[in-house]
Amino acid sequence: MGKHSFLSASASHRWINCPPSARLCEEYADRPSEYAQEGTDCHELCAYKVEKALGRRVKNPTENLTYYSQEMEDCADGYCAFVMEEAAEAGKLCADPLVLVEQRLDYSRYVGIEGSFGTGDCVIVSDGLLHIIDYKHGLGVLVSAEKNSQLSCYALGALDLFDGIYDIAQVSLTIYQPRRENVSTWTISVEQLIEGAEQTLKPKAEMAYQGEGDYVPGPWCTFCKAA
């Protein structure tokens, strides 16, 4: 993916609620955990299974995964089945739906800060509907798709790429979290998504970029390097 995004989608819950934390976190080195690596491994396995199911030539990453297990295999199989079901539904909306795996999505246009991007686990684009699917391997926190800022950022990036090619009216955001038996989906209109970006995302991004605003403790502190 190249360089790190200062206003990453995955950290958006934090920099929206506590804008100056974005600059503060620059002072601290990343400290990868075994839980993060396990999640990375499963994401790689999930991507492989979906690409293979789509008929694309891909290499099985299993032998190189540090935390590979039968549980991880089962989680990835379930995720792949879910994605393929959603892809089949998209095929009912148009003849040529697009399924993208591990897609870089740049939402700079909507937050007003260049170099703002993230990587969407799965993006399904069809006439009428854009579907963003995000895999979560964690057990600790139950994640909801409703008003999820990370997925909203991904959706904005996908809109920037495909809204002129497909006639997109609605956006569905889905969290697939198998170890919590959680599949959460939230659907909004494109207008609502863009309105939310203008009213909340863009002003908060500007504050975060400038290092302005108040430090506000909350649940978003959990994964903050400066906490």
Side-chain angles (χ1 to χ4, degrees), residues 6 19-24 205-215:
F6 175 66
S21 67
R23 286 295 176 197
L24 185 61
E206 179 62 27
M207 291 174 66
Y209 188 77
Q210 299 297 337
E212 298 174 346
D214 297 324
Y215 290 103

Side-chain angles (χ1 to χ4, degrees), residues 20-37:
S21 67
R23 286 295 176 197
L24 185 61
C25 282
E26 286 190 306
E27 302 175 17
Y28 297 85
D30 289 324
R31 296 179 181 177
S33 68
E34 63 180 62
Y35 301 107
Q37 184 57 54

Side-chain angles (χ1 to χ4, degrees), residues 32-42 67 137-140 179 223:
S33 68
E34 63 180 62
Y35 301 107
Q37 184 57 54
E38 184 180 21
T40 298
D41 283 357
C42 195
Y67 293 96
H137 197 59
L139 271 168
R179 297 170 81 199
F223 301 107

